[in-house]
Amino acid sequence: MNGIDTLRGAYLERIKTAADEAAVEEIRLAALGKKGEISLKMRELGKMTPEERQTTGASLNRLKDEIDAALRARKAGLADAALDARLASEWLDVTLPGRPRRMGTIHPVSQVMEELTTIFADMGFAVAEGPQVESDWFNFDALNIPPEHPARQEHDTFFMNRAEGDDRPPHVLRTHTSPVQIRAMTDQGAPIRVIAPGRVYRMDMDQTHTPMFHQVEGLAIDKNISMAHLKWVLEEFCRAFFEVPSVELRFRASHFPFTEPSAEVDIRCSWKDGQLKIGEGDDWMEILGSGMVHPKVLKAAGVDPTEWQGFAFGMGIDRIAMLKYGIPDLRAFFESDLRWLRHYGFAALDMPDLAGGLSR
Ligand code: PHE
C-alpha cells in the first residue's frame, strides 16, 4: 500500500537523523503514541471491509514493529555514542606519576637515627628509651660513678633546681644515653639486646660541641658475650651505615667507670681535598666508646654478674651524620635555618631500609 510505504520512508529517515534521545522519543510519540499517526491509522481499520482490514491491518502491524525496532536501535546507538563521548572527555591516565608537593624535609639526625635503628634491628637489637631529665642515680651512681668520682666533673652536667629546702640530690639532664642501660636491664632483665638513641646534654659550646647532642647506646647481655661479638657488631654496623664494602676499626684501651675492660674505637679513613673517605687511607677517626659492662653496673640493674656478661657502647649520632653526609659544621644542625634544612634534609619518603640500599 502506497500510503504505508510513504509513512515508512518518512519515519525511518527521521529516526536515522534524530540528534539525541529526546528527538527519538518525540518521533515515537508522533508515530506510535496514543494520537500518533500509525495509531490513528490502526483505529481506522474498524471502518474497513473485512478483506481490506486483513491486508491493511497486517501491513500496519509490520510497519509498527519496524518503526519500533528502528526507534530502539537509534536510541541505543545514541546512548552508546553519548557514553563514548563522555569517556573520551573524562579520560584520565592513572599510570602518570604523581606531582609531589614539597612538605619540608627530614633532619639529617632523624634520618641517621632511622638508618642506624634499621641496621641494629637487623642484628636483633630492640629500641629502648629513657627520660632526658634523669635522676643522678641512673645517670651516675648506677653506672659506677660515685659522687666523688672525677668523671662527674668531666661530664659538664646541667642540674635541675630542687624546691627550696629539698635536700635530695638534684635531677640532671642526662649527660649520656648510658642510664638507659640500667633502665632497660631493670625492666627486662637478661638476656637483652637493645639500642637507645636519643638526646643528651653537656655544658659545652664551640666548633665541635653543642649543649644538646645525640648519642646511641648499645647493650648486649647474655651468657657468653665477649669483646669479639662487640667488634663484629661494630664492624657490621659501620659497613652498613657508611655503605662501603669493608671498614677497619682500631680498638684503643681506654677507661670508663661502667665498662671493664674499656676501649675507644677509631675507624680508618682518609681526607682528600676536604673529602672524607671511610674504609681507606692513613687517618683514624674516633667514633665511639665501648667495653664489657662492669659487674657493678649489672648488679645495680638487678642482673647477676656471676651468670651474665656483655658489651656496651656509646656513639655520637651527630658526628656520624656529619661524616656520612659531608656536613662540615655541627652547630648548624640546631640553628633551624630553613636553607640548611632544604640543602641537607631528606624527602619524607626516603625511608631507609636494608633491602633497598640504605640511602639509595
Ligand atoms: N657513655 C659514654 C660517653 O658518653 C660512652 C660509652 C657508652 C662508653 C657505653 C662505654 C660504654 O662517653
Side-chain angles (χ1 to χ4, degrees):
M1 233 176 105
N2 227 342
I4 286 184
D5 284 341
T6 315
L7 266 182
R8 172 189 291 114
Y11 273 112
L12 289 183
E13 182 60 27
R14 274 180 72 188
I15 290 167
K16 210 161 70 184
T17 54
D20 51 28
E21 291 180 67
V24 173
E25 178 62 10
E26 220 172 89
I27 299 167
R28 193 186 67 79
L29 288 172
L32 309 175
K34 252 194 195 146
K35 293 191 177 143
E37 217 169 341
I38 296 172
S39 309
L40 291 177
K41 279 224 177 324
M42 296 245 209
R43 239 174 272 168
E44 282 166 21
L45 290 175
K47 299 178 201 151
M48 296 178 185
T49 65
E51 294 78 40
E52 267 182 328
R53 194 185 303 150
Q54 213 169 30
T55 52
T56 312
S59 316
L60 276 176
N61 264 328
R62 248 183 282 118
L63 174 64
K64 187 185 151 210
D65 289 347
E66 213 177 316
I67 299 283
D68 191 53
L71 284 166
R72 282 175 201 282
R74 181 67 185 156
K75 196 169 165 187
L78 284 169
D80 279 354
L83 182 59
D84 284 347
R86 210 176 131 204
L87 286 173
S89 71
E90 293 175 9
W91 183 81
L92 181 70
D93 185 353
V94 294
T95 67
L96 282 175
R99 296 181 201 124
R101 254 191 303 156
R102 190 169 195 109
M103 296 191 298
T105 56
I106 308 290
H107 194 286
V109 169
S110 303
Q111 185 77 6
V112 163
M113 281 200 193
E114 286 296 322
E115 290 182 8
L116 60 86
T117 303
T118 303
I119 297 167
F120 282 115
D122 192 53
M123 294 194 268
F125 287 77
V127 172
E129 284 181 322
Q132 295 172 42
V133 176
E134 189 56 284
S135 78
D136 76 334
W137 188 83
F138 277 109
N139 196 81
F140 294 121
D141 299 71
L143 291 161
N144 195 31
I145 314 175
E148 65 287 355
H149 198 287
R152 287 220 182 190
Q153 276 69 59
E154 284 160 30
H155 274 220
D156 304 313
T157 312
F158 284 107
F159 294 95
M160 308 298 286
N161 285 330
R162 281 273 187 211
E164 197 77 48
D166 188 338
D167 293 331
R168 290 174 300 169
H171 278 63
V172 301
L173 293 181
R174 69 180 180 193
T175 58
H176 50 181
T177 43
S178 298
V180 187
Q181 288 187 33
I182 308 296
R183 290 185 175 273
M185 284 192 282
T186 306
D187 289 353
Q188 303 171 32
I192 188 172
R193 226 186 290 175
V194 288
I195 57 163
R199 297 183 161 184
V200 300
Y201 302 83
R202 289 183 200 177
M203 228 183 297
D204 205 351
M205 180 73 173
D206 61 31
Q207 272 269 317
T208 54
H209 297 90
T210 49
M212 185 283 297
F213 57 106
H214 300 83
Q215 285 188 338
V216 58
E217 195 79 9
L219 174 72
I221 304 291
D222 210 320
K223 299 272 180 183
N224 311 303
I225 300 258
S226 71
M227 290 286 273
H229 297 112
L230 170 67
K231 183 164 185 283
W232 182 85
V233 164
L234 292 177
E235 277 172 359
E236 280 302 298
F237 168 75
C238 289
R239 241 168 18 87
F241 179 75
F242 291 109
E243 300 178 62
V244 291
S246 68
V247 292
E248 197 180 329
L249 297 182
R250 179 171 78 175
F251 283 62
R252 263 184 301 108
S254 181
H255 177 264
F256 300 102
F258 32 91
T259 47
E260 180 59 36
S262 303
E264 280 175 302
V265 177
D266 306 333
I267 189 165
R268 185 185 283 283
C269 64
S270 73
W271 282 101
K272 253 189 243 147
D273 312 321
Q275 262 254 310
L276 177 76
K277 277 230 169 76
I278 299 285
E280 58 179 58
D282 301 320
D283 277 338
W284 295 94
M285 172 112 42
E286 185 194 324
I287 55 165
L288 62 93
S290 64
M292 297 300 288
V293 178
H294 197 291
K296 282 190 179 169
V297 172
L298 295 174
K299 213 184 261 171
V303 170
D304 183 355
T306 64
E307 215 185 317
W308 305 98
Q309 63 181 38
F311 65 74
F313 62 84
M315 183 161 47
I317 293 180
D318 317 272
R319 190 171 169 77
I320 61 170
M322 291 169 75
L323 293 180
K324 178 167 182 180
Y325 292 111
I327 305 172
D329 186 358
L330 173 70
R331 286 172 300 185
F333 273 65
F334 310 118
E335 281 170 356
S336 303
D337 184 331
L338 278 176
R339 293 163 303 174
W340 185 91
L341 284 168
R342 281 194 193 110
H343 182 78
Y344 287 111
F346 294 82
L349 291 174
D350 281 348
M351 276 178 290
D353 76 271
L354 288 173
L358 207 54
S359 64
R360 259 156 284 198

